[in-house]
């Protein structure tokens, strides 16, 4: 079911619930080669913050969103 918007819809609902719970910031760590997940984060208004090397030698990208 790729490309049908399920991940974006679920993430939007989650953000609504986090706002209602008065959470101040959301952080998403995404594997650098996962372009679809990074696109979802960007569609949600998250900004690319920093990158990290994982213990397994992979790169993870951090996205942040202030609520």
């Amino acid at each position: 079911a790729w490309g049908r918007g399920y991940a974006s819809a679920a993430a939007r609902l989650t953000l609504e619930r986090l706002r209602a719970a008065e959470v101040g910031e959301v952080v998403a760590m995404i594997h650098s080669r996962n372009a679809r997940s990074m696109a979802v984060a960007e569609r949600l208004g998250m900004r690319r913050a920093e990158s990290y090397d994982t213990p397994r030698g992979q790169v993870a990208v951090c996205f942040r969103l202030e609520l």
Side-chain angles (χ1 to χ4, degrees):
W2 293 105
R4 296 189 182 197
Y6 295 134
S8 295
R12 275 191 218 96
L13 180 59
T14 300
L15 290 176
E16 288 177 22
R17 290 181 178 187
L18 292 171
R19 283 186 182 101
E22 299 182 1
V23 171
E25 183 181 32
V26 174
V27 176
M29 295 299 295
I30 303 171
H31 190 286
S32 63
R33 292 174 61 189
N34 191 337
R36 288 179 183 259
S37 290
M38 288 194 283
V40 169
E42 290 170 350
R43 276 195 298 277
L44 294 171
M46 300 185 85
R47 62 177 172 76
R48 190 176 185 148
E50 60 269 341
S51 298
Y52 298 97
D53 291 329
T54 69
R56 293 184 177 178
Q58 300 170 334
V59 177
V61 181
C62 177
F63 285 81
R64 296 179 183 272
L65 177 67
E66 291 186 31
L67 300 178

